[in-house]
Amino acid sequence: MSLLERLNSDMKQAMKNKEKDKLTVIRMIKASLQNEAIKLGHDLTEDDELTVLSREVKQRKDSLHEFDKAGREDLVEKLRTELLYVEEYMPKQLTEEELTKIVKEAISETGASSKAEMGKVMSVLMPKVKGKADGSLVNKLVQQHLS
């Protein structure tokens, strides 16, 4: 089942169950996917869909952090709920141990030995973990292993 089919199915179910919050999030995801398809001028590939979903997760996490700092608990709770709904459509996330293993492989593959070569490692690493790991965590692990 493609992502769009899954979203449509879940949207119908959310309407039947009167889950207003979930319905809103699904509609936002669908709108983002459609906007991306229009922008690219073709149907989205799985990779494109993953990029859009990752962007949606990142936006919500950034907003969550800002609202939390501002003490806006009402918005924090709403965003946490939205984040849970968006993450349902993301691939299974890698554990830190799995990610560390992939980081070490990428470092040995590129032959990097200092933080100055971090860009080389990240360019090899990010396509492997796209959508499966948070970019800031990947960045932190690469820095730890290159120091």
Side-chain angles (χ1 to χ4, degrees):
M1 181 185 292
S2 76
L3 178 61
L4 209 49
E5 290 170 345
R6 189 170 161 214
L7 285 168
N8 285 329
S9 170
D10 289 353
M11 189 165 76
K12 288 176 192 170
Q13 196 60 47
M15 283 181 200
K16 287 178 185 174
N17 298 342
K18 295 183 178 21
E19 296 174 291
K20 188 178 171 189
D21 292 340
K22 187 172 187 173
L23 185 59
T24 303
V25 172
I26 291 171
R27 285 182 173 149
M28 281 192 278
I29 294 170
K30 281 187 66 174
S32 294
L33 290 168
Q34 289 169 339
N35 288 339
E36 188 74 8
I38 291 168
K39 186 176 112 184
L40 296 176
H42 60 78
D43 288 342
L44 298 179
T45 63
E46 279 189 41
D47 200 40
D48 294 333
E49 292 173 345
L50 195 56
T51 301
V52 173
L53 285 173
S54 297
R55 188 179 319 134
E56 291 291 318
V57 169
K58 184 174 178 1
Q59 286 173 351
R60 281 170 177 77
K61 283 185 178 178
D62 291 347
S63 297
L64 188 69
H65 178 71
E66 291 302 315
F67 289 146
D68 202 29
K69 273 189 356 191
R72 293 293 309 268
E73 282 306 313
D74 54 330
L75 295 173
V76 167
E77 198 52 47
K78 181 179 182 285
L79 271 172
R80 281 198 178 113
T81 305
E82 283 185 15
L83 197 54
L84 288 174
Y85 290 138
V86 175
E87 287 176 342
E88 285 179 22
Y89 300 100
M90 294 289 290
K92 181 182 172 288
Q93 298 294 294
L94 295 169
T95 64
E96 196 164 333
E97 295 79 34
E98 293 169 325
L99 196 54
T100 301
K101 182 180 174 211
I102 296 171
V103 166
K104 287 178 182 176
E105 288 170 5
I107 290 172
S108 65
E109 187 179 316
T110 58
S113 58
S114 70
K115 284 188 179 181
E117 297 172 297
M118 189 168 163
K120 268 199 295 187
V121 176
M122 292 299 278
S123 65
V124 168
L125 188 59
M126 287 314 286
K128 293 179 182 177
V129 299
K130 186 176 186 177
K132 298 177 189 166
D134 182 41
S136 59
L137 177 61
V138 173
N139 191 327
K140 184 181 93 176
L141 288 172
V142 170
Q143 284 184 9
Q144 283 176 359
H145 287 89
L146 284 179
S147 57

